[in-house]
């Protein structure tokens, strides 16, 4: 038997197809061969419906785009609210709360991605051997999107950089949540 049939943790749908093709070649009875082909079609339909490969292991360009869209969808309504600017001004006067806000954003992203059990997300090839790539990218995309949109829409002018950074951090927190949900909910091909 091949490596995949021996119980490897890295078994893929392609390994299943390979096994079924081998089985189809070895069976003599036409009825059995028909059953194997039906099973192959069923596996193909399940893999396209997202029923197979429910474990998320990679962070692709598609995932980055989904994180961006999730960030925008959640953050857009907040961009027009003046309360966001007031909260940012408050955070600017209380730097400890600013740090707590950033930590909250990171904790929420990690919680949604790895703890909330929406989908099974595995950590592969972390930065420096310990920092998972997915939350780094989701947080980076959310921060970049929040900064760009708040600047583009004139919500921050950067004449008071510290206050403006704190205001961006409020939108960033919401966008980070949206980005993590946008990344994992649509699924992965």
């Amino acid at each position: 038997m091949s490596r995949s049939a021996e119980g490897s943790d890295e078994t893929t749908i392609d390994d299943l197809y390979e096994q079924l093709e081998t089985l189809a070649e070895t069976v003599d009875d036409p009825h059995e061969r028909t059953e194997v082909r039906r099973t192959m079609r069923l596996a193909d339909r399940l893999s396209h419906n997202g029923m197979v490969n429910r474990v998320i292991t990679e962070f692709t360009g598609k995932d980055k785009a989904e994180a961006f869209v999730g960030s925008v969808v959640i953050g857009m309504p907040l961009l027009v609210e003046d309360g966001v600017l007031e909260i940012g001004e408050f955070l600017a006067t209380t730097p400890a709360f600013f740090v707590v806000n950033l930590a909250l954003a990171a904790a929420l992203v990690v919680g949604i991605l790895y703890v909330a059990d929406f989908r099974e997300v595995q950590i592969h090839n972390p930065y420096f051997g310990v920092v998972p790539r997915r939350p780094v990218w989701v947080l980076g995309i959310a921060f970049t999107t929040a900064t760009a949109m708040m600047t583009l829409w004139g919500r921050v002018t950067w004449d008071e950089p510290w206050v403006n950074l704190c205001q961006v951090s409020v939108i960033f927190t919401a966008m980070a949540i949206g980005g993590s949900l946008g990344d994992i909910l649509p699924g992965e091909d």
Side-chain angles (χ1 to χ4, degrees):
M1 282 194 142
S2 72
R3 171 190 56 80
S4 62
E6 295 171 359
S8 170
D9 290 338
E10 298 296 322
T11 303
T12 67
I13 193 70
D14 293 331
D15 296 328
L16 174 63
Y17 286 131
E18 184 180 310
Q19 290 292 324
L20 289 171
E21 286 173 2
T22 302
L23 182 61
E25 293 170 1
T26 60
V27 294
D28 296 331
D29 184 14
H31 177 69
E32 291 174 347
R33 190 171 290 131
T34 300
E35 287 302 312
V36 172
R37 299 253 183 252
R38 272 191 204 152
T39 304
M40 291 171 75
R41 283 192 301 273
L42 175 63
D44 184 54
R45 281 196 318 266
L46 288 175
S47 69
H48 289 7
N49 288 339
M51 298 304 291
V52 178
N53 292 336
R54 286 194 175 277
V55 177
I56 299 173
T57 58
E58 296 179 355
F59 193 69
T60 64
K62 180 181 175 199
D63 294 312
K64 292 171 186 170
E66 290 168 348
F68 171 73
V69 170
S71 292
V72 171
V73 167
I74 297 296
M76 185 87 58
L78 296 176
L79 285 169
V80 298
E81 293 296 325
D82 287 338
V84 168
L85 301 178
E86 293 172 14
I87 294 168
E89 290 170 2
F90 171 76
L91 292 177
T93 63
T94 317
F97 288 172
F98 169 76
V99 172
V100 169
N101 183 54
L102 295 180
L104 174 67
L108 287 169
V109 166
V110 169
I112 289 169
L113 294 176
Y114 298 110
V115 180
D117 203 26
F118 290 109
R119 304 275 306 270
E120 183 180 347
V121 180
Q122 295 179 349
I123 299 171
H124 285 274
N125 195 19
Y127 292 119
F128 311 112
V130 293
V131 180
R133 292 176 180 271
R134 186 172 295 273
V136 168
W137 276 98
V138 169
L139 291 166
I141 289 167
F143 185 78
T144 302
T145 304
T147 303
M149 291 192 74
M150 295 231 2
T151 303
L152 178 69
W153 286 12
R155 301 300 285 168
V156 293
T157 58
W158 300 104
D159 55 345
E160 297 179 77
W162 172 245
V163 172
N164 294 149
L165 177 65
C166 292
Q167 291 168 331
V168 167
S169 78
V170 176
I171 296 293
F172 157 72
T173 301
M175 286 189 167
I177 293 167
S180 57
L181 290 172
D183 169 35
I184 64 170
L185 291 183
E188 188 173 298
D189 290 335

